[in-house]
Amino acid sequence: MIDLCTLGTGGTMPLHTRALASLYVRNGARALLVDCGEGTQVEIGRLGWGFLRIEALLLTHYHADHCSGLPGLLLALTKAGRTEPLHVWGPPDLRRVVTGLRVIAPQLGYEPVLHELPLSGGSFGAAGLRVRAFPLDHGMPCLGYRFDMDRPRAFLPERARALGIPLRAWSFLQRGETVIVDGRTWRPEQVLGEARRGISFVYATDTRPVPGIAAAGRGTQLMILEGMYGGEEDLPKALKNSHMLFRESAALAAQAGTERLLLTHFSTSLEEPEAFLDAARAVFPAADCARDGMTLTLGYPS
Ligand SMILES: [Zn+2]
Ligand SMILES: [Zn+2]
């Protein structure tokens, strides 16, 4: 089970009704953040899921609305008592950006470990999830992220009994380990069921539509994509500023065949994003607008 919270759903500038971009991803006792706009620490405090479990921060790009909350977050983690390293991932320039922001947050109780990803993205692990970064089209280095949590294969006790596997070997096999008991070798494939779909979702904002987004969304339960602009009249702005319309994000969700689309990162000009929801639902019916502090839980697909 993974819990998500769209801490802030605004783009460009914070409004008194809408905070800037950040997503809290909680995997039990572990967590990561995607992006850290100005005031993210305030939203985390309001949510109440805590600071200490946050062990990784994934930045999409270095526009201020996605990373200017970093010094405050780093200090808040120190105040919360963090001593373990914090892993920070982001596109090229990560070192320069974080070093610059650290001028005003020099003393931390832990070490931020920086992982600068190439423009093309890459794969890594964070907070117990498999993560794959993929390139977006935003006029500057920008990455989207796909998250996967594998589901262990079921242990089949009746098969273990039929094979006469001693009880003391079961827990090893259950964990996927080969075990030797009394000179006999037992392998997990002998007693584990079919591979099962795990939990997967995508986060991609600040981009024009690119095929890599739909490709990343294949087989996912959820795509969180940007809803920077609502109606067709804003297409020139979307093209000029390298953002997407509701309709364009919905088309990517439809191409991906994901189960659900959540739009976020709304322009300050969108006072009521829901007013444009029909434009998205005409293309992909299972579309919704995120709200600041909205939480949802992803379980294993049945
Ligand atoms: Zn942005
Ligand atoms: Zn941007």
Side-chain angles (χ1 to χ4, degrees):
M1 210 159 77
I2 294 176
D3 304 303
L4 304 176
C5 177
T6 48
L7 292 167
T9 59
T12 319
M13 275 169 55
L15 301 177
H16 71 276
T17 51
R18 203 185 287 156
L20 288 178
S22 189
L23 176 76
Y24 195 125
V25 179
R26 183 172 72 172
N27 177 17
R30 309 176 70 180
L32 63 86
L33 286 184
V34 185
D35 279 340
C36 187
E38 187 181 335
T40 289
Q41 60 167 320
V42 179
E43 304 309 316
I44 295 172
R46 187 169 293 155
L47 175 66
W49 288 359
F51 287 90
L52 263 188
R53 74 179 87 218
I54 299 169
E55 55 186 73
L57 169 65
L58 282 52
L59 296 170
T60 58
H61 66 300
Y62 308 121
H63 278 147
D65 53 334
H66 297 260
C67 61
S68 60
L70 186 74
L73 176 78
L74 294 178
L75 292 168
L77 291 174
T78 294
K79 193 156 175 282
R82 182 165 194 89
T83 53
E84 301 289 303
L86 175 79
H87 293 272
V88 185
W89 302 83
D93 243 4
L94 177 72
R95 206 159 295 281
R96 191 169 70 90
V97 170
V98 174
T99 304
L101 291 168
R102 285 263 335 252
V103 169
I104 54 171
Q107 285 182 339
L108 304 175
Y110 58 91
E111 200 50 51
V113 181
L114 307 184
H115 307 271
E116 197 162 298
L117 294 162
L119 269 179
S120 55
S123 297
F124 56 97
L129 306 178
R130 281 191 293 119
V131 185
R132 184 170 73 77
F134 54 93
L136 300 177
D137 173 15
H138 191 45
M140 74 184 307
C142 187
L143 298 171
Y145 293 100
R146 172 179 169 135
F147 301 88
D148 283 279
M149 186 162 97
D150 295 326
R151 183 175 193 181
R153 289 158 66 185
F155 180 75
L156 307 171
E158 64 283 5
R159 205 180 284 174
R161 247 178 251 117
L163 289 167
I165 301 176
L167 264 177
R168 61 183 190 277
W170 286 22
S171 62
F172 294 95
L173 296 167
Q174 220 159 354
R175 289 199 298 269
E177 295 168 23
T178 297
V179 63
I180 301 171
V181 182
D182 302 330
R184 286 198 68 178
T185 302
W186 303 103
R187 294 181 202 291
E189 309 81 72
Q190 295 175 282
V191 289
L192 296 182
E194 299 285 298
R196 299 185 286 188
R197 257 182 85 200
I199 298 173
S200 54
F201 64 98
V202 157
Y203 184 92
T205 67
D206 295 67
T207 182
R208 291 295 302 146
V210 288
I213 302 173
R218 249 164 237 142
T220 57
Q221 287 150 288
L222 170 72
M223 292 178 81
I224 302 175
L225 301 180
E226 75 168 323
M228 188 66 168
Y229 299 115
E232 292 302 315
E233 64 282 4
D234 281 337
L235 184 58
K237 274 200 269 181
L239 290 166
K240 179 167 167 276
N241 302 325
S242 298
H243 283 291
M244 295 197 284
L245 302 178
F246 276 35
R247 164 182 65 78
E248 292 175 315
S249 288
L252 290 170
Q255 279 167 37
T258 189
E259 291 170 23
R260 188 174 171 195
L261 168 66
L262 198 57
L263 294 162
T264 187
H265 197 272
F266 305 116
S267 162
T268 50
S269 63
L270 285 190
E271 276 177 36
E272 275 302 324
E274 280 86 358
F276 296 93
L277 205 43
D278 286 348
R281 287 185 174 165
V283 181
F284 184 78
D288 284 292
C289 290
R291 288 265 174 189
D292 284 19
M294 175 192 269
T295 62
L296 59 119
T297 296
L298 298 178
Y300 288 126
S302 46

